[in-house]
Every structure is written in C-alpha cells, then in structure tokens.
Amino acid sequence: MHKSLLAAALAFLLAAPAAPATAAGAAKPPEQAWSFDGVFGTFDRASLRRGLIVYRQVCSSCHSLSLVAYRHLAGVNFSADEIKAIAATVEVTDGPNDQGEMFQRPGRPADKFKAPFANENAARAANNGAHPPDLSLMIKARKGGANYVHALLAGYKDPPAGFQLTDGMSYNTHFPGQQIAMGAPLNEGSVDYPDGTKASVEQMARDVTTFLAWTAEPEMEARKRLGLKVLLFLLVLTGMLYALKRMIWSDLH
Amino acid sequence: MTTPVWTNPVVRWIDTRLPIFTMMQHSAIDYPTPRNLNYWWSYGSLAGVVLIIMIATGIVLAMYYTPHTTMAFDSVERIMRDVNYGWLIRYVHMNGGSAFFIVVYIHLFRGLYYGSYKAPRELLWMIGVIILITMMATAFMGYVLPWGQMSFWGATVITNLFSAIPLVGDSIVAWLWGGFSVDNPTLNRFFSLHYLLPFVIFALVFVHLWALHTVKSNNPLGVDIKHPGDTVPFHPYYTIKDLFGVGVFMIVFMGFVFFAPNFFGEPDNYIPANPMVTPPHIVPEWYLLPFYAILRAITFNIWFIPAKLIGVVAMFASLFILLLLPWLDRSKVRSARYRPIHRQFFWILVIDCFILGYVGANPPEGHFIPLGQAATAYYFLHFLVVIPLISLFERPRAVPESISAAVLKGS
C-alpha cells in the first residue's frame, strides 16, 4: 500500500506526457436557465416536487441520498403531513429493542432518505460491479454542476459507428470517456406527474436536477436572502466610513 | 512620545502595575505613521482582521466537527445542513482561507514594490515570510479536515514529498502519517495542528508588529521619517482609513460567501475521500498552485540526484529565497517609484507568478511542462541574478528629500 501510494504520488509529480491519457474530453454541458440561478434565485417549487417524484420512482432504486432527512423537505414548503406520508412509505431497521433484537418500523420524518442498498458491496453486486454514487451533493461535486447533471441525464445516444462499447455500458456524450455504467435512467413517461406536466426526458431531467440542486444546497435560499441584507448594510456602512475618512483627513490635505 | 496621564482611577491603578493602557496608547493611537501611505498599506491590518475572523469561525466549527475518517465528511455536512447558521460559519471559514492569501499576497507584493524589506526592516520582512509559510502549513492541514477526495489525495501527494529526503525520507513520511498511509491518525494530528498553528501565527503577528513599531512603517516614497511633520498619529487617521478598507474588503468577501461560496473550491472535495479511487487531476488550493508548479517543473535528474528531490528542494527554496531578499537587493533606494528598471522587473515577476499559478492548475503534460520550467527558471533568476544586477547597475531617479516636502509640493 505504502509503495503503491508512493509510486502514484511520484508518477503524478513527474507525470511525463505518457501519463495515463485522461478520459477523452466530454462535450461541454450547455448552459441552462435555472430557477435557482442568480442573486434572487429560488428553487422552482413545482419543479422540485416533480423532481422528488423522479428521484423516488427512478433514481432511488440505485442511488442513496444519505445526507438528506425527510424532515428537510419542510424547508421547501412540504407540509408536516406530506413529510410524514413520504417517510412512512419506507421500512427502516431500528433497534435493538428491549429484547435485544432489531426490528422494522415505518420511516419517520427524522430518518434520512432510505438507501437502496445495505452497503457498497451490495450496491456493486446488484449493479454489474459499479457503485451508484450518493446523490446528496452531486450538483456541487461535479464540474458544471446542474448543467452537467442535466446534460448527462439527457445525453444518452446510440454510440457512433466504430465506438468500442464495453459490455453492459451505455454511451453518453457528456460522461468522461463516453462510457457510463448507468443505463439510460429516464424514458418518455417513466413517471406520472400528478400536476399533468408531460413527463418527457428533458422535463424529468430538468425536474430531478432542480431537486438535486436543493439537496446539495438546502441553505441556498436563506443564504441569498441574508446575503442581500448583508451587502446592503455593508454598502451603506462603507459609504459612511468613506465620508468619515474624507472628513477626518480634510485638515491634512 | 509622552507618557499619558490616566484620570480614571481604575485605569491608573492597573496601568502603574501593568502599563497595558500606555502600551495601547503608544501602539494604536499615538503611533507616528507616515502621512503619505496609500491604500496598498491597508492590507496589513486587513490580514489581521482576516486572522481574527478565521480563529473565531474556526473555534465554532471545531465544536461541531468530528476528526475521524468515517465521520469527518458527514460532520461537515451536518454543519452545513443542521447546525443553525452552520453554513454561514463554514463558508466564511472556507472562503476566509482564500481571502487571507489574497490579502497577504498583496501585502507581500506591496513590500516587494516599495522595498519594505530593506534596512532597517529586514527582520520585519523575515518574520512576515515565516508567517506566510506557517499560513501555508495551516491552510494545507485545514483543507484535509473535510476528508473529501481532494483533502485525502492532496494530503497524500504533499506528505509524500518528504519521502524525497535521502535515507530517512520513508521513515519521516511514516512518522508524519502515524501509519503507512494517510489515515485516521493523520487526520487526528492535522486537526490538532490546524487548531494550534493559528495561535502560533497570532504570536508571530505580534512579533511582526513589535518589529514594525520599532522601525516604523515604510511609505510609498521609501524615504525615512525625518521630522514630526512627516507623520500623523495612527488614530484617527489610519484607524478610519483602514476601517474603510475593511468595509470594501467585506463587501467583496461577503459577496463570495453568500453568492459564490464554492468559487475557490474544487468540486471533487464534495466527494467523500476514497483511498481506492484517485481523482484524474489532483490540485492543491489555488494559493499553493505557483509552488506546486515549481515542484513539478523539475522532470529531470541531475547527476545522481533524483528529480523529485530537486523539485521538493526547489519548492521550499522558492519560499526561503525571500528571506535572503534584503541582502540580494543592494540598492540604497527603497521605492520602485524611483527605480525605473527594477519597477519593470517587478511586474515581470508578478506575471511570472501568475504563469506559475496557471501551470500549477493544469495537468503536467504538453506545453505546460516547458512553460512551467521557464517560469520556474525565471523565478529563481529574478531573485538570484536580476535583482542583484539591477541594484548594482541601475541609476535611480532623484528621491524626494522628505515625506512632508514631497506631500506638500504635490498638494
């Protein structure tokens, strides 16, 4: 282990041009207009609700959301009853009880979103050796953020002629190396939206990206609201400090 | 300077036993400061403000952070999600690191431009360089604490540098790690040291100020303070000027904290550390990139000395060379205002540092290798050859007779 780490660091330090070719450059994700962009940005509530449906019905069969608790949904206008209902749809293991045994109970708002697999090995065993990453921070953990995740979800295509696709992999224009272990997750009508929105691939990609932008930065709306007040205060204060500076220095000039 | 007379009996009682009020009066109020300091001189006190912000937010973060490999990442996310205003404290601390380096680098280049390292300020300058190096060590260890991918792999790459030391290198690395790879013992000691070093910096800043107040501030003209008309008392003139600077700084700083908090960060550090998966491209935080470029510029062995060892030596030398600067620059004139050739090479050094940063941010391949080597060569050439030669052959312009003479003529 020691030697291999050393070798890795050395190889990295001295990496000659022969360094392992980095994955062929993936297409740059196109810029999208997001509700949460900009100084006044907020999460589009309707899109976020639809995104939660996409996550629960599609993504959650492989991807965990381990940093998010059901109760956090209160931060984006889900009512206490809605949250209880969503949490109660899963069975979680709790315990040990007073007999020393673990037991199953319905989920509660204080529980984190239930992970689809007990551990990483179980996830790999069920996914052809690949480990579906946790999605809580996905938007912050990838270059390009929301634009990238959106482009990736809508970026499944047939491989071009001559492209060597490894068995069990899918072709995706936006994934580094263009080969991704995740099969196209979204298909026309994968979910039914109760609000009547047509569940196109583009629409679902957009909605679930909005939902994941919230899971990555649940504080964003509060942050921007407070930021505006802080900046306004600082502008006034600094203006006054400048006036005071001019006044105090006036007898020297 | 006269000794103040304290009218308040409590203050007087204390001051006759421990003259803390007299010291404050001398150092923060009466302290005679050149009347012609421009806004580049605000960055010193600004760095002090940022240090206080970092210590204050850091102490709060440490109350919620868990230094364990299996819990560190989630404990930081708990701060971000569940601790009241935890996201604010953490983003201030995270961006404060970058702000600290921006402020200190400007402070350092101001010293380079105006010759603030020259006699009698050599020790003042050297203490400043030691503060910078201590800051780098502190920042590096702080970056490891969230235990993301870049935390882990940055720590692995940097600690492995010490393995380049002949004979004892591997033993030193194992000693630093507390094991045979970057792991829980490493995280624990980095947390401990990351909490300790800011207080070391605080003490060094105190010594830095002590030296400053002994030799007094340099000024844009680079001429000595000759008579009382050259100076003004620090308060209220510079307290208000610096406070205005703090206001402008806070607007920019808070702009990043609230509206682009991850601007200076790497997305990879939001992926939990995984010793089995190496990120395609390991980079340190932006403020270490120029030094990282120097480290990687040496791709060739010299005789029997391996390239890695030379790279490590070059990286540390690029910092320690600053300690010698007061003796490398022989010119009697301090300010670059009166040194037409030195001034041009100052800007070439600035550009060179940006090139080094750019190279450090990119993978070591293709044209980045020769570019990094050229920029590294220039960096050392600048300090070891260009500066001594200029200081010998340059003909400086006439320096004003005194601060007040120049200021009053100008107005």
Side-chain angles (χ1 to χ4, degrees):
Chain A
M1 186 66 181
H2 179 199
K3 277 276 177 278
S4 68
L5 278 179
L6 194 71
L10 248 174
F12 181 70
L13 282 175
L14 308 175
T22 40
K28 192 174 155 46
E31 289 279 331
Q32 305 281 335
W34 297 104
S35 55
F36 45 86
D37 282 342
V39 174
F40 300 100
T42 52
F43 297 111
D44 176 340
R45 294 293 190 272
S47 180
L48 196 152
R49 276 173 181 268
R50 289 193 299 268
L52 173 63
I53 293 170
V54 177
Y55 171 76
R56 290 176 69 205
Q57 295 189 12
V58 183
C59 317
S60 69
S61 54
C62 299
H63 292 276
S64 56
L65 202 58
S66 61
L67 299 173
V68 186
Y70 296 107
R71 68 183 164 82
H72 287 145
L73 289 166
V76 275
N77 303 22
F78 280 78
S79 69
D81 289 338
E82 281 176 306
I83 292 170
K84 269 185 201 146
I86 291 169
T89 56
V90 298
E91 285 280 302
V92 299
T93 309
D94 202 345
N97 61 13
D98 49 12
Q99 302 301 310
E101 278 152 14
M102 304 303 280
F103 58 93
Q104 295 291 110
R105 62 159 172 79
R108 298 186 197 126
D111 290 323
K112 297 278 167 69
F113 272 70
K114 196 192 175 187
F117 301 105
N119 52 56
E120 181 177 335
N121 290 6
R124 286 191 190 276
N127 286 284
N128 202 14
H131 178 219
D134 187 86
L135 295 183
S136 313
L137 283 163
M138 191 49 73
I139 302 290
K140 283 209 284 196
R142 293 292 182 277
K143 279 207 162 65
N147 291 329
Y148 166 75
V149 172
H150 172 267
L152 182 87
L153 290 174
Y156 284 85
K157 295 204 170 58
D158 291 330
F163 187 88
Q164 285 294 328
L165 200 60
T166 314
D167 224 23
M169 304 288 270
S170 300
Y171 184 80
N172 190 308
T173 46
H174 286 88
F175 195 72
Q178 279 78 48
Q179 298 206 51
I180 184 167
M182 172 171 73
L186 302 174
N187 298 298
E188 191 84 16
S190 286
V191 299
D192 272 326
Y193 282 141
D195 64 0
T197 308
K198 189 167 164 295
S200 64
V201 171
E202 155 66 26
Q203 184 65 45
M204 289 184 289
R206 173 162 287 276
D207 292 340
V208 80
T209 302
T210 302
F211 172 68
L212 292 178
W214 169 74
T215 65
E217 301 194 302
E219 87 299 343
M220 188 213 70
E221 292 183 356
R223 169 159 58 77
K224 288 178 176 173
R225 265 199 315 273
L226 181 59
L228 286 172
K229 288 181 208 158
V230 167
L231 283 193
L232 201 66
F233 167 79
L234 282 173
L235 280 169
V236 173
L237 176 73
T238 306
M240 284 172 13
L241 288 171
Y242 183 64
L244 201 56
K245 191 256 159 193
R246 298 266 314 207
M247 208 173 82
I248 289 171
W249 278 74
S250 62
D251 65 334
L252 282 189
H253 287 305
Chain B
M1 245 185 290
T2 52
T3 307
V5 178
W6 303 104
T7 46
N8 182 310
V10 178
V11 170
R12 194 167 55 230
W13 188 90
I14 294 173
D15 202 74
T16 47
R17 286 154 181 83
L18 179 73
I20 188 161
F21 294 100
T22 301
M23 192 188 85
M24 295 289 287
Q25 177 80 24
H26 284 165
S27 314
I29 304 212
D30 297 338
Y31 174 62
T33 316
R35 59 191 293 161
N36 60 333
L37 299 189
N38 55 32
Y39 279 108
W40 297 112
W41 262 263
S42 304
Y43 287 86
S45 61
L46 214 45
V49 170
V50 180
L51 177 62
I52 302 295
I53 292 176
M54 292 304 279
I55 291 178
T57 50
I59 287 172
V60 177
L61 288 175
M63 294 174 187
Y64 295 90
Y65 170 75
T66 311
H68 190 278
T69 52
T70 58
M71 290 181 270
F73 188 90
D74 284 356
S75 76
V76 171
E77 278 305 316
R78 198 179 90 81
I79 291 171
M80 294 297 289
R81 290 157 193 271
D82 289 338
V83 174
N84 288 334
Y85 289 99
W87 57 266
L88 177 59
I89 305 282
R90 196 254 175 156
Y91 276 154
V92 167
H93 196 76
M94 193 172 124
N95 286 278
S98 287
F100 207 174
F101 278 94
I102 291 173
V103 166
V104 163
Y105 280 144
I106 293 175
H107 185 62
L108 183 149
F109 276 95
R110 190 270 289 151
L112 283 178
Y113 187 86
Y114 293 109
S116 301
Y117 48 84
K118 294 189 185 191
R121 299 187 180 82
E122 303 97 318
L123 259 184
L124 174 60
W125 168 263
M126 292 165 81
I127 296 161
V129 175
I130 303 297
I131 292 175
L132 175 66
I133 295 170
T134 317
M135 273 176 64
M136 287 176 170
T138 311
F140 159 68
M141 288 192 258
Y143 192 59
V144 175
L145 302 185
W147 210 242
Q149 272 290 66
M150 275 308 165
S151 299
F152 179 85
W153 289 100
T156 300
V157 169
I158 301 297
T159 49
N160 259 307
L161 296 180
F162 292 92
S163 69
I165 300 168
L167 303 176
V168 292
D170 284 345
S171 311
I172 288 182
V173 173
W175 177 71
L176 288 174
W177 285 340
F180 299 101
S181 67
V182 174
D183 208 332
N184 201 48
T186 325
L187 179 60
N188 285 172
R189 60 191 58 192
F190 277 21
F191 178 54
S192 170
L193 293 172
H194 183 71
Y195 206 115
L196 167 71
L197 286 181
F199 297 97
V200 173
I201 293 175
F202 196 85
L204 286 169
V205 167
F206 184 81
V207 180
H208 192 62
L209 282 175
W210 186 4
L212 172 73
H213 285 234
T214 307
V215 297
K216 303 286 180 285
S217 300
N218 186 27
N219 65 85
L221 302 175
V223 298
D224 288 327
I225 296 169
K226 295 206 173 83
H227 43 82
D230 290 346
T231 64
V232 292
F234 191 79
H235 180 75
Y237 294 102
Y238 284 104
T239 38
I240 186 60
K241 192 166 180 170
D242 284 358
L243 267 178
F244 169 60
V246 169
V248 174
F249 165 78
M250 288 301 277
I251 290 172
V252 179
F253 181 32
M254 289 299 130
F256 278 105
V257 166
F258 285 104
F259 298 105
N262 292 300
F263 178 83
F264 293 105
E266 276 291 321
D268 272 43
N269 227 27
Y270 282 111
I271 304 170
N274 184 346
M276 309 309 268
V277 179
T278 316
H281 186 194
I282 305 173
V283 282
E285 286 269 83
W286 69 266
Y287 40 78
L288 299 176
L289 288 174
F291 306 97
Y292 196 48
I294 291 174
L295 170 76
R296 298 189 302 180
I298 315 297
T299 53
F300 43 82
N301 301 342
I302 299 178
W303 302 307
F304 58 91
I305 310 172
K308 185 181 169 189
L309 177 58
I310 306 170
V312 172
V313 170
M315 185 183 77
F316 284 107
S318 68
L319 281 163
F320 285 106
I321 202 170
L322 294 171
L323 293 173
L324 301 178
L325 182 58
W327 296 277
L328 291 169
D329 185 352
R330 317 287 304 173
S331 174
K332 290 273 176 277
V333 177
R334 291 196 191 99
S335 174
R337 274 195 194 173
Y338 306 104
R339 302 186 60 191
I341 301 177
H342 181 82
R343 185 169 60 202
Q344 289 173 25
F345 278 93
F346 167 85
W347 288 110
I348 291 175
L349 178 69
V350 172
I351 294 166
D352 191 57
C353 289
F354 274 103
I355 293 174
L356 283 171
Y358 170 69
V359 171
N362 279 286
E365 55 195 29
H367 66 275
F368 290 116
I369 294 174
L371 186 62
Q373 288 171 339
T376 301
Y378 180 76
Y379 183 89
F380 287 103
L381 220 57
H382 181 91
F383 287 105
L384 293 175
V385 179
V386 175
I387 281 196
L389 283 183
I390 294 175
S391 64
L392 288 178
F393 294 109
E394 181 186 45
R395 185 173 295 195
R397 302 218 317 268
V399 173
E401 185 190 325
S402 73
I403 296 171
S404 49
V407 171
L408 297 179
K409 196 182 69 184
S411 62

